[in-house]
Amino acid sequence: MSNYAIETQDLGRVYKIRGNKKERAIRKELVALEGVNLTVGRGELFGLLGPNGAGKTTLIKILTTLLAPTSGWARVAAHDVSQSPHLVRPRINMVSGGESSGYGLLTVRENLWMFSQFYGMNSKVANERIKELLKMVGLEDRIHTKSSDLSTGLRQKMNIVRGFLTDPEVLFLDEPTLGLDVGASRDVRKLIRGWLDANKSRTLLLTTHYMVEAEELCDRVAIINKGQVLACDTPANLKHKLQRDAIFEVETSPLNGWSPSTLEEQPEVRKAASRQIEGGSKLELILAEESALANVINVLTQKNIKVMRLTKREPTLEDVFMDLVGARMEDMEQGGEE
Amino acid sequence: MNRSETSRSFTMATWLGWQVESNWTDPFLFAIYVVIKPLATAAILVVMYSIITNGDYASPLFPYIYLGNAFYIYVGAVMTGVSWAVIDDREHYKTLKYMYIAPISIPFYWLGRGVSRFLIGTIAVVITVGVGALFFNLPLNLAQVNWGLFFVSLFVGVTMLAMIGLILASLTLMMAQQNFFVGEAVAGALYLFSGAIFPLEVLPAWIRPVGYAMPITYWLELMRRSLIGGVAQAFPTLAEFSNLQLLGILTGLTLLFGIVSVFTFRWCDHRARERGLIDHTTNY
Ligand SMILES: Nc1ncnc2c1ncn2[C@@H]1O[C@H](COP(=O)(O)OP(=O)(O)OP(=O)(O)O)[C@@H](O)[C@H]1O
Ligand SMILES: [Mg+2]
């Protein structure tokens, strides 16, 4: 039996896009995932980090037997998701954030209890666990509330409880903290960590586009963009590769149309990106050698751009992302298609 | 208490279906659906019949039409009950994907979801037949009812309708944009061809084979014969068949539909997964 909780080989997914009535003739294909090779060991908390449209949800759908891959294969809990979905399903569970699902006419307890029964759990054990888990996310006083009377965030908490309730071998959480407030996000992260620590054979895969969440929570992170896995390692190792580099933030006067990416032509300047801040711009620089900073300042001076503030800092996952993709994830999302 | 996958799928779905369908919080709407709608339909039928035949309730045509119509309530109720859960779960509750990845048998889950509509339909049928016997000269004599034949036929017939419901549910799963009661639509389309409202002889000869190919035709005939015996046999349509032969045909066709439903489900399930339709919602 394989030691891996999740294993994929050259996994790919192409969507056929059908146009509306007018454009029915036009058929396009969209590559949502391409050549994904991942292994997640049992006991790991694995994070998928990527901007909107990167393919995170698509990957989770394939791994949870909701969607067929168009190339390659994937195994979850040692079973092939395409060939034996019926062997995968009893061993997994999944929750997607940012949607409010559930039967509004049923109470929180009834919704959760019903799912536990579909999984063949003992009814008494299930009711105990429901109480326990609801307490952990601070929802215990709503146990008898009809789920239609819950706010979107509270409903999401209920759904997260549904995921943990059946105690799966592998749990998939698609953006579990999306739309939750700070406190609720903290509760959920605590629940995640606690669940994994209590039993070392449990595995959890989550997607997020919060860098901090990936960095603080995950044992390993795969950075994914445009359907491809660009890097996969522990957050520390990912950052370590940048450790030799120097990372500077430079606040300047307005750039007046000048593009900072031209800085990358300078020797030892690996990446340069900028974004607007009040009263000017903020440049983020990844330099292979600290000495390259002198050149950068020179260029700025020539362009009549004033340096207001200069800070050196430790690399973050955000820098890793910028190094791999060439743009800040936040900026990509603002300009994103969805 | 580790119940088998099929039994827990069916029983829990029955529980869920009852919670969702029997919305007792609105008894008024519920009463309309269960009592008033079937009675109104029956009343319209009776009025039309009396105008056309000058009130000739003694003709065997009257119980033929009345009973065919009453039991036809089951056709829409069961087929819709089983197939509507797909749209309900996918579009309204957004739970289809969670049901789909749970270790359950989806066809048994759908069958379970149909139980509540079957029960609600039963109330409507009983009321309709009862009112017919009490107020509309329906020649029903409880002492002469062939109860054995009645319950066996009812059971086989409802199973047959549930199998058609499964086929419709599977097709619904595979269709991206679909938002109506496909069960009611199909029931409406088959209404004229299944001997519910008039004997098949009335239809043009070229279209009669459709009626003869349909299990609903034999089932309705069995329901009539078991309830009012000889009166139903007055029509030549299926007169040459004995009760047992009719039951045999109905059972055979039910098995056939059962087999077809299994393959339809497998195929549609496969296609839906390929096309990513399990959690596809129409954006209004
Ligand atoms: N059913 C579908 N049909 C066609 N294209 C799709 C479908 N689902 C997803 N896509 C496309 O596939 C790509 C990947 O989408 P996916 O939902 O996996 O991204 P994601 O990483 O989860 O993004 P987000 O952070 O916004 O949730 C996107 O370009 C998306 O538009
Ligand atoms: Mg997503």
Side-chain angles (χ1 to χ4, degrees), chain A residues 212-263:
Chain A
V212 187
E213 193 164 284
E215 200 160 344
E216 280 177 6
L217 200 58
C218 298
D219 299 324
R220 280 198 307 145
V221 172
I223 293 182
I224 170 168
N225 189 38
K226 293 188 179 150
Q228 291 180 317
V229 174
L230 302 178
C232 176
D233 212 328
T234 62
N237 280 348
L238 286 171
K239 287 185 289 182
H240 192 73
K241 287 177 190 132
L242 287 179
Q243 215 90 58
R244 285 167 291 126
D245 302 336
I247 298 180
F248 287 97
E249 283 176 11
V250 189
E251 286 179 28
T252 65
S253 60
L255 299 180
N256 301 323
W258 172 73
S259 159
S261 57
T262 53
L263 282 174

CSV table of all heavy atoms in Angstrom, one decimal, chain A residues 212-263:
chain,number,residue,atom,x,y,z
A,212,VAL,N,-0.3,34.4,4.4
A,212,VAL,CA,0.0,34.2,5.8
A,212,VAL,C,-0.6,32.9,6.3
A,212,VAL,O,0.1,32.1,7.0
A,212,VAL,CB,-0.6,35.3,6.7
A,212,VAL,CG1,-0.2,35.2,8.1
A,212,VAL,CG2,-0.3,36.7,6.1
A,213,GLU,N,-1.8,32.5,5.8
A,213,GLU,CA,-2.4,31.3,6.2
A,213,GLU,C,-1.5,30.1,5.7
A,213,GLU,O,-1.3,29.2,6.5
A,213,GLU,CB,-3.8,31.2,5.5
A,213,GLU,CG,-4.6,30.1,6.0
A,213,GLU,CD,-6.1,30.3,5.7
A,213,GLU,OE1,-6.7,31.2,6.3
A,213,GLU,OE2,-6.6,29.7,4.7
A,214,ALA,N,-1.1,30.2,4.5
A,214,ALA,CA,-0.2,29.1,4.0
A,214,ALA,C,1.1,29.0,4.8
A,214,ALA,O,1.5,27.9,5.1
A,214,ALA,CB,0.1,29.4,2.5
A,215,GLU,N,1.6,30.2,5.0
A,215,GLU,CA,2.9,30.2,5.7
A,215,GLU,C,2.9,29.7,7.1
A,215,GLU,O,3.7,28.9,7.6
A,215,GLU,CB,3.4,31.7,5.7
A,215,GLU,CG,4.9,31.8,5.9
A,215,GLU,CD,5.4,33.2,5.4
A,215,GLU,OE1,4.7,33.8,4.6
A,215,GLU,OE2,6.5,33.5,5.8
A,216,GLU,N,1.8,30.1,7.9
A,216,GLU,CA,1.8,29.8,9.3
A,216,GLU,C,1.3,28.4,9.5
A,216,GLU,O,1.7,27.7,10.4
A,216,GLU,CB,0.8,30.7,10.0
A,216,GLU,CG,1.4,32.0,10.3
A,216,GLU,CD,0.4,32.9,11.0
A,216,GLU,OE1,-0.7,32.5,11.3
A,216,GLU,OE2,0.7,34.1,11.2
A,217,LEU,N,0.3,27.9,8.6
A,217,LEU,CA,-0.4,26.7,8.9
A,217,LEU,C,0.2,25.5,8.3
A,217,LEU,O,0.2,24.4,8.9
A,217,LEU,CB,-1.8,27.0,8.4
A,217,LEU,CG,-3.0,26.1,8.9
A,217,LEU,CD1,-3.1,26.2,10.4
A,217,LEU,CD2,-4.3,26.6,8.3
A,218,CYS,N,0.7,25.6,7.0
A,218,CYS,CA,0.9,24.4,6.2
A,218,CYS,C,2.3,23.8,6.5
A,218,CYS,O,3.3,24.6,6.7
A,218,CYS,CB,0.8,24.7,4.8
A,218,CYS,SG,-0.9,25.2,4.4
A,219,ASP,N,2.4,22.5,6.4
A,219,ASP,CA,3.7,21.8,6.5
A,219,ASP,C,4.4,22.0,5.2
A,219,ASP,O,5.6,22.3,5.1
A,219,ASP,CB,3.5,20.3,6.7
A,219,ASP,CG,2.8,20.0,8.0
A,219,ASP,OD1,3.1,20.8,9.0
A,219,ASP,OD2,2.0,19.1,8.1
A,220,ARG,N,3.6,21.8,4.1
A,220,ARG,CA,4.2,22.1,2.8
A,220,ARG,C,3.2,22.9,1.9
A,220,ARG,O,2.0,22.8,2.1
A,220,ARG,CB,4.6,20.8,2.1
A,220,ARG,CG,5.9,20.2,2.6
A,220,ARG,CD,6.4,19.1,1.6
A,220,ARG,NE,5.4,18.1,1.3
A,220,ARG,CZ,5.3,17.6,0.1
A,220,ARG,NH1,6.1,17.9,-0.9
A,220,ARG,NH2,4.4,16.7,-0.1
A,221,VAL,N,3.8,23.6,1.0
A,221,VAL,CA,2.9,24.5,0.1
A,221,VAL,C,3.3,24.2,-1.3
A,221,VAL,O,4.5,24.1,-1.7
A,221,VAL,CB,3.2,25.9,0.5
A,221,VAL,CG1,2.5,26.8,-0.5
A,221,VAL,CG2,2.7,26.2,1.9
A,222,ALA,N,2.3,24.1,-2.2
A,222,ALA,CA,2.6,24.1,-3.6
A,222,ALA,C,2.1,25.4,-4.2
A,222,ALA,O,0.9,25.8,-3.9
A,222,ALA,CB,1.8,23.0,-4.3
A,223,ILE,N,3.0,26.1,-4.9
A,223,ILE,CA,2.5,27.4,-5.5
A,223,ILE,C,2.1,27.0,-6.9
A,223,ILE,O,2.8,26.4,-7.7
A,223,ILE,CB,3.7,28.4,-5.5
A,223,ILE,CG1,4.0,28.8,-4.0
A,223,ILE,CG2,3.3,29.6,-6.3
A,223,ILE,CD1,5.0,29.8,-3.9
A,224,ILE,N,0.9,27.5,-7.2
A,224,ILE,CA,0.2,27.1,-8.5
A,224,ILE,C,-0.2,28.3,-9.2
A,224,ILE,O,-0.8,29.2,-8.6
A,224,ILE,CB,-0.9,26.0,-8.2
A,224,ILE,CG1,-1.7,25.7,-9.4
A,224,ILE,CG2,-1.8,26.5,-7.1
A,224,ILE,CD1,-2.6,24.5,-9.1
A,225,ASN,N,0.0,28.3,-10.5
A,225,ASN,CA,-0.4,29.5,-11.3
A,225,ASN,C,-0.7,29.0,-12.7
A,225,ASN,O,0.1,28.2,-13.2
A,225,ASN,CB,0.7,30.5,-11.3
A,225,ASN,CG,0.3,31.8,-12.0
A,225,ASN,OD1,-0.9,32.2,-11.8
A,225,ASN,ND2,1.1,32.4,-12.8
A,226,LYS,N,-1.8,29.4,-13.3
A,226,LYS,CA,-2.2,29.0,-14.6
A,226,LYS,C,-2.1,27.5,-14.8
A,226,LYS,O,-1.6,27.0,-15.8
A,226,LYS,CB,-1.3,29.7,-15.7
A,226,LYS,CG,-1.5,31.2,-15.7
A,226,LYS,CD,-0.8,31.9,-16.8
A,226,LYS,CE,-1.1,33.3,-16.9
A,226,LYS,NZ,0.0,34.1,-17.4
A,227,GLY,N,-2.6,26.8,-13.8
A,227,GLY,CA,-2.7,25.4,-13.9
A,227,GLY,C,-1.4,24.6,-13.8
A,227,GLY,O,-1.4,23.4,-13.9
A,228,GLN,N,-0.3,25.3,-13.4
A,228,GLN,CA,0.9,24.5,-13.3
A,228,GLN,C,1.5,24.7,-11.8
A,228,GLN,O,1.4,25.8,-11.3
A,228,GLN,CB,1.9,25.0,-14.3
A,228,GLN,CG,1.6,24.6,-15.7
A,228,GLN,CD,2.6,25.0,-16.7
A,228,GLN,OE1,3.0,26.2,-16.7
A,228,GLN,NE2,2.9,24.2,-17.6
A,229,VAL,N,2.1,23.7,-11.3
A,229,VAL,CA,2.7,23.8,-10.0
A,229,VAL,C,4.1,24.3,-10.3
A,229,VAL,O,4.9,23.7,-11.0
A,229,VAL,CB,2.8,22.4,-9.3
A,229,VAL,CG1,3.6,22.5,-8.1
A,229,VAL,CG2,1.4,21.9,-9.0
A,230,LEU,N,4.4,25.5,-9.7
A,230,LEU,CA,5.7,26.1,-10.0
A,230,LEU,C,6.7,25.7,-8.9
A,230,LEU,O,7.9,25.7,-9.2
A,230,LEU,CB,5.5,27.6,-9.9
A,230,LEU,CG,4.5,28.2,-11.0
A,230,LEU,CD1,4.4,29.7,-10.8
A,230,LEU,CD2,4.9,27.8,-12.4
A,231,ALA,N,6.3,25.5,-7.7
A,231,ALA,CA,7.2,25.1,-6.7
A,231,ALA,C,6.4,24.3,-5.6
A,231,ALA,O,5.2,24.6,-5.4
A,231,ALA,CB,7.9,26.3,-6.1
A,232,CYS,N,7.1,23.5,-4.9
A,232,CYS,CA,6.4,22.7,-3.8
A,232,CYS,C,7.4,22.3,-2.8
A,232,CYS,O,8.4,21.6,-3.0
A,232,CYS,CB,5.8,21.4,-4.5
A,232,CYS,SG,5.0,20.4,-3.3
A,233,ASP,N,7.2,22.9,-1.6
A,233,ASP,CA,8.2,22.6,-0.5
A,233,ASP,C,7.6,23.2,0.8
A,233,ASP,O,6.5,23.7,0.8
A,233,ASP,CB,9.5,23.3,-0.8
A,233,ASP,CG,10.7,22.5,-0.3
A,233,ASP,OD1,10.6,21.9,0.7
A,233,ASP,OD2,11.8,22.6,-0.9
A,234,THR,N,8.4,23.0,1.9
A,234,THR,CA,8.0,23.6,3.1
A,234,THR,C,8.1,25.2,3.0
A,234,THR,O,8.9,25.6,2.2
A,234,THR,CB,8.9,23.2,4.3
A,234,THR,OG1,10.2,23.7,4.0
A,234,THR,CG2,8.9,21.7,4.5
A,235,PRO,N,7.3,25.9,3.7
A,235,PRO,CA,7.4,27.4,3.6
A,235,PRO,C,8.8,27.8,3.8
A,235,PRO,O,9.4,28.7,3.2
A,235,PRO,CB,6.4,27.9,4.6
A,235,PRO,CG,5.4,26.8,4.8
A,235,PRO,CD,6.1,25.5,4.6
A,236,ALA,N,9.5,27.2,4.8
A,236,ALA,CA,10.8,27.6,5.2
A,236,ALA,C,11.8,27.4,4.0
A,236,ALA,O,12.6,28.3,3.7
A,236,ALA,CB,11.3,26.8,6.4
A,237,ASN,N,11.7,26.2,3.4
A,237,ASN,CA,12.6,25.9,2.3
A,237,ASN,C,12.3,26.8,1.1
A,237,ASN,O,13.3,27.2,0.4
A,237,ASN,CB,12.4,24.5,1.9
A,237,ASN,CG,13.2,23.5,2.8
A,237,ASN,OD1,14.0,24.0,3.6
A,237,ASN,ND2,12.9,22.2,2.7
A,238,LEU,N,11.1,27.1,0.9
A,238,LEU,CA,10.7,28.0,-0.3
A,238,LEU,C,11.4,29.3,-0.1
A,238,LEU,O,12.0,29.9,-1.0
A,238,LEU,CB,9.2,28.1,-0.4
A,238,LEU,CG,8.5,26.9,-1.0
A,238,LEU,CD1,7.0,27.2,-0.8
A,238,LEU,CD2,8.8,26.7,-2.4
A,239,LYS,N,11.3,29.8,1.2
A,239,LYS,CA,11.9,31.1,1.5
A,239,LYS,C,13.4,31.0,1.5
A,239,LYS,O,14.1,32.0,1.1
A,239,LYS,CB,11.3,31.6,2.8
A,239,LYS,CG,9.9,32.1,2.7
A,239,LYS,CD,9.4,32.7,4.0
A,239,LYS,CE,9.3,31.6,5.1
A,239,LYS,NZ,8.8,32.2,6.3
A,240,HIS,N,13.9,29.9,1.9
A,240,HIS,CA,15.3,29.7,2.0
A,240,HIS,C,16.0,30.0,0.7
A,240,HIS,O,17.1,30.5,0.7
A,240,HIS,CB,15.6,28.3,2.6
A,240,HIS,CG,17.1,28.2,3.0
A,240,HIS,ND1,17.5,28.7,4.1
A,240,HIS,CD2,18.1,27.5,2.4
A,240,HIS,CE1,18.8,28.4,4.3
A,240,HIS,NE2,19.2,27.7,3.2
A,241,LYS,N,15.4,29.5,-0.4
A,241,LYS,CA,16.0,29.7,-1.7
A,241,LYS,C,16.2,31.2,-2.0
A,241,LYS,O,17.0,31.6,-2.8
A,241,LYS,CB,15.1,29.1,-2.7
A,241,LYS,CG,15.2,27.6,-2.7
A,241,LYS,CD,14.3,26.9,-3.7
A,241,LYS,CE,14.3,25.4,-3.4
A,241,LYS,NZ,13.0,24.8,-3.4
A,242,LEU,N,15.4,32.0,-1.3
A,242,LEU,CA,15.5,33.5,-1.5
A,242,LEU,C,16.4,34.1,-0.4
A,242,LEU,O,16.8,35.3,-0.5
A,242,LEU,CB,14.1,34.2,-1.4
A,242,LEU,CG,13.2,33.9,-2.6
A,242,LEU,CD1,11.9,34.7,-2.3
A,242,LEU,CD2,13.8,34.4,-3.9
A,243,GLN,N,16.8,33.3,0.6
A,243,GLN,CA,17.5,33.8,1.7
A,243,GLN,C,18.8,34.5,1.2
A,243,GLN,O,19.3,35.5,1.8
A,243,GLN,CB,17.9,32.7,2.7
A,243,GLN,CG,17.8,33.2,4.1
A,243,GLN,CD,16.4,33.1,4.7
A,243,GLN,OE1,15.9,32.0,4.8
A,243,GLN,NE2,15.9,34.2,5.1
A,244,ARG,N,19.5,33.9,0.2
A,244,ARG,CA,20.7,34.5,-0.2
A,244,ARG,C,20.5,35.8,-0.9
A,244,ARG,O,21.3,36.7,-1.0
A,244,ARG,CB,21.4,33.5,-1.2
A,244,ARG,CG,22.0,32.3,-0.6
A,244,ARG,CD,22.4,31.3,-1.6
A,244,ARG,NE,21.2,30.7,-2.2
A,244,ARG,CZ,20.9,30.6,-3.4
A,244,ARG,NH1,21.7,31.1,-4.3
A,244,ARG,NH2,19.8,30.1,-3.8
A,245,ASP,N,19.2,36.0,-1.4
A,245,ASP,CA,18.9,37.2,-2.1
A,245,ASP,C,18.5,38.3,-1.0
A,245,ASP,O,18.2,38.0,0.1
A,245,ASP,CB,17.7,37.1,-3.0
A,245,ASP,CG,17.9,36.0,-4.0
A,245,ASP,OD1,19.1,35.7,-4.3
A,245,ASP,OD2,17.0,35.4,-4.5
A,246,ALA,N,18.6,39.5,-1.5
A,246,ALA,CA,18.2,40.6,-0.6
A,246,ALA,C,16.9,41.2,-1.0
A,246,ALA,O,16.7,41.3,-2.2
A,246,ALA,CB,19.3,41.7,-0.6
A,247,ILE,N,16.0,41.4,-0.1
A,247,ILE,CA,14.7,41.9,-0.5
A,247,ILE,C,14.5,43.3,0.1
A,247,ILE,O,14.7,43.5,1.3
A,247,ILE,CB,13.6,40.9,0.0
A,247,ILE,CG1,13.9,39.6,-0.7
A,247,ILE,CG2,12.3,41.5,-0.3
A,247,ILE,CD1,12.9,38.5,-0.4
A,248,PHE,N,14.3,44.2,-0.8
A,248,PHE,CA,14.1,45.6,-0.4
A,248,PHE,C,12.8,46.1,-0.8
A,248,PHE,O,12.2,45.8,-1.8
A,248,PHE,CB,15.2,46.5,-1.0
A,248,PHE,CG,16.6,46.3,-0.5
A,248,PHE,CD1,17.5,45.4,-1.1
A,248,PHE,CD2,16.9,46.9,0.7
A,248,PHE,CE1,18.7,45.2,-0.5
A,248,PHE,CE2,18.2,46.7,1.2
A,248,PHE,CZ,19.1,45.8,0.6
A,249,GLU,N,12.2,47.0,0.1
A,249,GLU,CA,11.1,47.7,-0.3
A,249,GLU,C,11.5,49.2,-0.4
A,249,GLU,O,12.1,49.7,0.6
A,249,GLU,CB,10.0,47.6,0.8
A,249,GLU,CG,9.2,46.3,0.7
A,249,GLU,CD,8.2,46.2,1.9
A,249,GLU,OE1,8.0,47.2,2.6
A,249,GLU,OE2,7.7,45.1,2.0
A,250,VAL,N,11.2,49.8,-1.5
A,250,VAL,CA,11.6,51.2,-1.7
A,250,VAL,C,10.3,52.0,-1.9
A,250,VAL,O,9.6,51.8,-2.9
A,250,VAL,CB,12.5,51.3,-2.9
A,250,VAL,CG1,13.1,52.8,-3.0
A,250,VAL,CG2,13.6,50.3,-2.9
A,251,GLU,N,10.1,53.0,-1.1
A,251,GLU,CA,9.0,53.9,-1.3
A,251,GLU,C,9.5,55.2,-2.0
A,251,GLU,O,10.5,55.8,-1.6
A,251,GLU,CB,8.3,54.3,0.0
A,251,GLU,CG,7.5,53.2,0.6
A,251,GLU,CD,6.8,53.6,1.9
A,251,GLU,OE1,6.5,54.8,2.1
A,251,GLU,OE2,6.6,52.7,2.7
A,252,THR,N,8.9,55.5,-3.1
A,252,THR,CA,9.4,56.6,-4.0
A,252,THR,C,8.3,57.6,-4.3
A,252,THR,O,7.1,57.4,-4.0
A,252,THR,CB,9.9,56.0,-5.3
A,252,THR,OG1,8.7,55.5,-6.0
A,252,THR,CG2,10.9,54.9,-5.1
A,253,SER,N,8.7,58.7,-4.9
A,253,SER,CA,7.8,59.7,-5.4
A,253,SER,C,7.2,59.0,-6.7
A,253,SER,O,7.6,58.0,-7.1
A,253,SER,CB,8.6,60.9,-5.8
A,253,SER,OG,9.5,60.6,-6.7
A,254,PRO,N,6.1,59.6,-7.2
A,254,PRO,CA,5.4,59.0,-8.4
A,254,PRO,C,6.4,58.7,-9.5
A,254,PRO,O,7.3,59.4,-9.8
A,254,PRO,CB,4.4,60.1,-8.8
A,254,PRO,CG,4.1,60.9,-7.6
A,254,PRO,CD,5.4,60.9,-6.8
A,255,LEU,N,6.1,57.5,-10.2
A,255,LEU,CA,7.0,57.0,-11.2
A,255,LEU,C,6.8,57.7,-12.6
A,255,LEU,O,7.6,57.6,-13.5
A,255,LEU,CB,6.8,55.5,-11.4
A,255,LEU,CG,7.0,54.7,-10.2
A,255,LEU,CD1,6.8,53.2,-10.5
A,255,LEU,CD2,8.4,54.8,-9.6
A,256,ASN,N,5.7,58.5,-12.7
A,256,ASN,CA,5.4,59.2,-13.9
A,256,ASN,C,5.6,58.3,-15.2
A,256,ASN,O,6.2,58.7,-16.2
A,256,ASN,CB,6.4,60.4,-14.1
A,256,ASN,CG,6.2,61.3,-12.9
A,256,ASN,OD1,5.1,61.5,-12.4
A,256,ASN,ND2,7.3,61.9,-12.4
A,257,GLY,N,4.9,57.2,-15.1
A,257,GLY,CA,4.9,56.4,-16.3
A,257,GLY,C,6.1,55.5,-16.5
A,257,GLY,O,6.1,54.6,-17.4
A,258,TRP,N,7.1,55.7,-15.8
A,258,TRP,CA,8.3,54.8,-16.0
A,258,TRP,C,8.0,53.4,-15.4
A,258,TRP,O,7.4,53.3,-14.4
A,258,TRP,CB,9.5,55.5,-15.2
A,258,TRP,CG,10.7,54.6,-15.2
A,258,TRP,CD1,11.5,54.3,-16.2
A,258,TRP,CD2,11.2,53.9,-14.0
A,258,TRP,NE1,12.5,53.5,-15.8
A,258,TRP,CE2,12.3,53.2,-14.4
A,258,TRP,CE3,10.8,53.8,-12.7
A,258,TRP,CZ2,13.1,52.4,-13.6
A,258,TRP,CZ3,11.5,53.0,-11.8
A,258,TRP,CH2,12.7,52.3,-12.3
A,259,SER,N,8.5,52.4,-16.1
A,259,SER,CA,8.2,51.0,-15.7
A,259,SER,C,9.3,50.4,-15.0
A,259,SER,O,10.4,50.3,-15.5
A,259,SER,CB,7.8,50.2,-16.9
A,259,SER,OG,8.0,48.8,-16.6
A,260,PRO,N,9.1,50.1,-13.7
A,260,PRO,CA,10.2,49.6,-12.9
A,260,PRO,C,10.8,48.2,-13.3
A,260,PRO,O,11.9,47.9,-12.9
A,260,PRO,CB,9.6,49.5,-11.5
A,260,PRO,CG,8.2,49.5,-11.6
A,260,PRO,CD,7.9,50.1,-12.9
A,261,SER,N,10.0,47.5,-14.2
A,261,SER,CA,10.5,46.2,-14.6
A,261,SER,C,11.8,46.4,-15.5
A,261,SER,O,12.5,45.4,-15.6
A,261,SER,CB,9.4,45.4,-15.4
A,261,SER,OG,9.0,46.2,-16.5
A,262,THR,N,12.0,47.6,-16.0
A,262,THR,CA,13.2,47.8,-16.7
A,262,THR,C,14.4,47.7,-15.8
A,262,THR,O,15.6,47.5,-16.3
A,262,THR,CB,13.2,49.2,-17.4
A,262,THR,OG1,13.0,50.2,-16.3
A,262,THR,CG2,12.2,49.4,-18.5
A,263,LEU,N,14.2,47.8,-14.5
A,263,LEU,CA,15.3,47.6,-13.5
A,263,LEU,C,15.9,46.2,-13.7
A,263,LEU,O,17.1,46.0,-13.3
A,263,LEU,CB,14.8,47.8,-12.1
A,263,LEU,CG,14.6,49.3,-11.6
A,263,LEU,CD1,14.0,49.3,-10.3
A,263,LEU,CD2,16.0,50.0,-11.6
